[in-house]
Amino acid sequence: MQSDQLTVFAVLAVTLGLFAWNRWRYDIVALGALLVVTLAGIVPPEKAFMGLGHPAVITVAAVLVLSRGLLNGGVVDSMARHLTKVGDRPWVQVLTLTGIVALCSGFMNNVGALALFMPVAIWMSRQNGRSPSYLLMPLAFGSLLGGTLTLIGTPPNIIIAGYRRQVGEAPFGMFDFLPVGLAITVTGVLLIALLWRLTPRRENPNGDQQLFEISAYLTELKLPEESKYAGRTLHELMVAGGEDDVMITALIRGDQQLRMPSMYEVLRDDDILLVECDPDSLKAFLDATKMELAAHADSEAEAREKAEQDKQAEKNGDEDKQTEAEAARKDRHSERALAEAIVTPQSSLVGTTATGLALRERHGVNILAVARQGQRLQQRLSKIRFAAGDILLVQAREDQLQSTLNGLGCLPLASRGLRITTPRQVWLASGIFAGALVLVSAGLMPASIALVGAALLMILTGLVPTGDIYKSIDMSIIVLIAAMMPIGEALESTGGSQLIADALLEVGQAAPPAATIAILMAGVMLLTNVVNNAAAAVLAAPVAISLAQGMNASADPLLMAVAIGSSCAFLTPIGHQSNTLVMAPGGYRFGDYWRLGLPLSILVVLVAVPTILWVWPL
């Protein structure tokens, strides 16, 4: 083994170890590995960052923007509204939800499709008194299966399509993946529906109660007459209170109620603040500001006022006004834009605190509660460092809640008296996307050009606001692919991929070609359960090409095996973002995934290998 090969294998071993350790983000690890092989002279400096301009990278970025446009246009949401009518039988719910998510994942980012249907699954679980764990793992696995249907279903397909150029063939087309992808998706969804009982039962310890019960933490505070804070801003009051865990959810002034008031709102005598906090923080805040509990301060005054209003209403016959005032008082606790959201691995919240990010001042959002592994955290909110998978109870202005969650890298799970709305330009979004698919399928345009053009149209038509363009693109995926491509080429140019291919050939000498394909697919499948699937595809594709050359056979079936293997991470929660996102809401543990994932992985190999050889013979 030559020194360059040793260097590349050593770098790859460390890189894969760091990927599996998951202590640092995978894009940072990939960039570090790229710099090492460049400094070692294996990758020429002028080619180190050529991956950023690779068609696969551009195509992945365009698909992410298109996915946001489809979400904003309400294309998938229009289907989600009908899923609540499928009945209450568990296997029917699993079959329907998993099948719909798989279908959507074939044409949009699979994490985006999963995120859109997670609230539906959680709502259905709560309505039927079941744990969300019954539905969420099948939902995640369905999103992975569906990604194998088309070229744009998942980044590994886009990457593998580009590698076909190296054997002198045109890249795989939009629906070249469909025969194999459809076979494993249909059989996989049916298996999940039959074996849904293998998903672990994670019952809510609180029975049918919701995860967050905040009514006991809501209190009305009154600014007394002649308070020194009258005429000063709400921000000054909060600073004087010195309690980061006291959240102002509304300001009530006479008949008006200001939800999520500005921190620079000027206070007046007799203003009432609706706050959310624990008893200890409340006591400290009252001691510091000399505010009064509104229930105590207003008991006699309200009685007199109500009696006077009743008399006046009787005198004027104005019963509607009296009823309206009474209803407004009762609705103070219910008319707030509250939602449950999950922190994604790419969220800016990970590793930080609400105080450190100044969420209220910068983003206009209150974090009212945090849950981790199915349990509400009892420590002070200002001290909690958020982690991927945390579930947050957040409050924001109704018209800004969706954009705020997007900006913070959080996905909505369920709402509290609030429907998070999106524009309903279904036909426009569908038409633009369908047009791009037709251009690519007919061979009139390369996928990168057609999809970038469609993304631009969605931006120009307002389906994707200009402020959300780059928020739609997961830059960690883009950097990962761009950094790993030169490393994959280094593996090939140094002869490392040929060494691996020769080893596989020796193992499969006495076995039929189908066994060699199955071994390659299973190996890639195991790899993608501990590293990002795009990285697995980049590393395995050169090996597949070298293996095909050693077998004196077509590279197509081996490249297809890599595409399928790198998309099917069913054994661990870290193999794919979809698996990670359902871990906390479902209450799953690390070792839960293999129970359903192992039979599903075996089924994929058993179905995919003969289908590949039928469509793409050696």
Side-chain angles (χ1 to χ4, degrees):
M1 187 179 294
Q2 300 173 2
S3 61
D4 284 353
Q5 292 175 345
L6 284 172
T7 302
V8 170
F9 281 127
V11 170
L12 284 177
V14 173
T15 301
L16 295 179
L18 291 174
F19 281 154
W21 187 31
N22 204 29
R23 177 65 177 81
W24 295 324
R25 278 183 17 176
Y26 46 74
D27 52 331
I28 304 299
V29 174
L31 273 177
L34 175 60
L35 289 176
V36 171
V37 295
T38 302
L39 293 174
I42 300 173
V43 173
E46 63 272 12
K47 294 185 178 181
F49 301 108
M50 293 291 287
L52 288 170
H54 195 282
V57 175
I58 304 302
T59 303
V60 169
V63 169
L64 293 174
V65 175
L66 287 171
S67 295
R68 176 60 63 87
L70 291 173
L71 290 173
N72 291 350
V75 175
V76 186
D77 190 40
S78 61
M79 293 186 287
R81 290 199 305 269
H82 300 288
L83 287 177
T84 56
K85 305 174 183 178
V86 300
D88 57 359
R89 293 184 178 180
W91 72 270
V92 175
Q93 292 179 348
V94 170
L95 179 65
T96 306
L97 274 172
T98 307
I100 292 294
V101 169
L103 177 63
C104 294
S105 296
F107 298 95
M108 62 184 296
N109 176 258
N110 41 23
V111 175
L114 172 66
L116 200 63
F117 287 95
M118 278 176 67
V120 180
I122 292 173
W123 181 88
M124 291 172 69
S125 299
R126 288 174 174 170
Q127 289 295 106
N128 292 282
R130 301 190 189 97
S131 168
S133 63
Y134 283 110
L135 292 176
L136 293 184
M137 187 180 292
L139 215 61
F141 289 171
S143 74
L144 300 185
L145 289 169
T148 64
L149 292 172
T150 68
L151 170 69
I152 62 174
T154 184
N157 287 3
I158 298 172
I159 293 168
I160 294 301
Y163 269 97
R164 198 173 184 236
R165 293 180 185 272
Q166 295 189 13
V167 294
E169 300 287 344
F172 288 121
M174 177 64 69
F175 296 106
D176 285 344
F177 297 86
L178 185 60
V180 181
L182 185 63
I184 66 171
T185 299
V186 171
T187 55
V189 169
L190 290 175
L191 180 73
I192 291 171
L194 290 173
L195 302 181
W196 66 272
R197 293 182 184 275
L198 292 179
T199 56
R201 300 184 180 185
R202 295 288 181 258
E203 300 297 341
N204 187 344
N206 298 321
D208 293 333
Q209 294 181 7
Q210 296 192 19
L211 180 61
F212 298 117
E213 290 292 340
I214 66 167
S215 58
Y217 297 88
L218 286 172
T219 309
E220 289 185 0
L221 304 182
K222 182 179 179 181
L223 194 70
E225 293 183 5
E226 300 181 356
S227 169
K228 65 179 181 179
Y229 297 106
R232 299 169 69 177
T233 64
L234 183 57
H235 176 74
E236 292 177 274
L237 176 69
M238 297 302 293
V239 170
E243 281 296 316
D244 293 324
D245 291 330
V246 173
M247 303 294 176
I248 306 297
T249 63
L251 186 153
I252 302 163
R253 181 175 292 157
D255 294 334
Q256 294 182 331
Q257 177 172 304
L258 304 177
R259 305 172 193 171
M260 291 291 294
S262 167
M263 293 298 287
Y264 299 100
E265 179 74 28
V266 177
L267 297 171
R268 302 177 187 174
D269 286 336
D270 296 327
D271 278 352
I272 294 176
L273 300 179
L274 189 62
V275 304
E276 195 274 347
C277 60
D278 59 79
D280 291 337
S281 297
L282 176 62
K283 183 179 184 304
F285 187 76
L286 289 174
D287 290 342
T289 61
K290 307 303 180 187
M291 295 191 73
E292 300 174 349
L293 291 172
H296 297 161
D298 289 351
S299 57
E300 294 184 5
E302 283 185 355
R304 290 195 302 268
E305 181 182 352
K306 186 177 184 302
E308 187 65 29
Q309 287 178 348
D310 290 343
K311 289 180 182 179
Q312 191 67 27
E314 267 183 42
K315 181 179 179 180
N316 298 334
D318 195 358
E319 295 182 0
D320 290 340
K321 185 175 181 180
Q322 183 182 5
T323 303
E324 182 180 333
E326 191 68 25
R329 177 72 181 176
K330 291 180 180 179
D331 288 343
R332 284 177 184 173
H333 290 9
S334 61
E335 293 185 356
R336 289 176 301 279
L338 298 178
E340 292 172 17
I342 185 169
V343 178
T344 68
Q346 286 71 44
S347 172
S348 59
L349 297 178
V350 175
T352 63
T353 64
T355 304
L357 284 178
L359 291 179
R360 176 61 188 270
E361 290 79 4
R362 295 180 183 176
H363 300 279
V365 60
N366 280 337
I367 306 294
L368 303 182
V370 182
R372 187 171 294 164
Q373 297 297 320
Q375 298 292 328
R376 175 171 176 166
L377 300 183
Q378 300 300 322
Q379 67 193 97
R380 296 170 67 91
L381 289 172
S382 59
K383 305 298 182 183
I384 295 175
R385 289 194 175 274
F386 301 115
D390 283 353
I391 301 176
L392 312 178
L393 180 63
V394 301
Q395 181 198 40
R397 293 177 60 88
E398 182 174 348
D399 57 348
Q400 297 176 357
L401 182 55
Q402 182 67 68
S403 60
T404 299
L405 292 178
N406 291 338
L408 293 174
C410 298
L411 298 174
L413 288 180
S415 60
R416 303 295 187 100
L418 167 72
R419 191 171 185 275
I420 301 175
T421 59
T422 55
R424 288 296 182 266
Q425 296 173 301
V426 176
W427 291 109
L428 179 60
S430 302
I432 293 173
F433 186 65
L437 295 185
V438 169
L439 291 175
V440 177
S441 303
L444 299 177
M445 283 188 186
S448 56
I449 301 300
L451 295 173
V452 167
L456 182 61
L457 277 177
M458 286 196 172
I459 294 167
L460 294 176
T461 55
L463 287 169
V464 179
T466 53
D468 289 346
I469 297 172
Y470 296 105
K471 293 178 183 177
S472 308
I473 301 173
D474 187 346
M475 289 305 300
S476 60
I477 292 291
I478 300 300
V479 172
L480 171 72
I481 298 174
M484 290 301 297
M485 280 188 164
I487 298 176
E489 292 178 6
L491 182 66
E492 185 176 9
S493 64
T494 59
S497 59
Q498 188 62 53
L499 283 177
I500 300 174
D502 291 342
L504 288 174
L505 284 173
E506 289 183 10
V507 172
Q509 275 181 348
T516 303
I517 294 176
I519 291 171
L520 177 64
M521 184 184 297
V524 176
M525 197 177 291
L526 290 174
L527 178 63
T528 199
N529 273 285
V530 293
V531 306
N532 181 274
N533 57 1
V538 170
L539 294 176
V543 176
I545 293 173
S546 298
L547 186 59
Q549 292 171 347
M551 296 172 63
N552 196 26
S554 169
D556 288 345
L558 295 162
L559 287 174
M560 278 289 172
V562 172
I564 298 300
S566 58
S567 298
C568 295
F570 305 125
L571 302 179
T572 69
I574 63 173
H576 195 276
Q577 290 184 42
S578 292
N579 294 351
T580 304
L581 286 177
V582 300
M583 189 175 184
Y588 304 125
R589 303 187 184 99
F590 193 97
D592 287 338
Y593 286 76
W594 70 270
R595 294 169 58 178
L596 180 61
L598 182 59
L600 185 57
S601 299
I602 294 172
L603 177 73
V604 166
V605 175
L606 293 177
V607 172
V609 171
T611 309
I612 287 174
L613 289 174
W614 176 59
V615 180
W616 306 96
L618 286 168

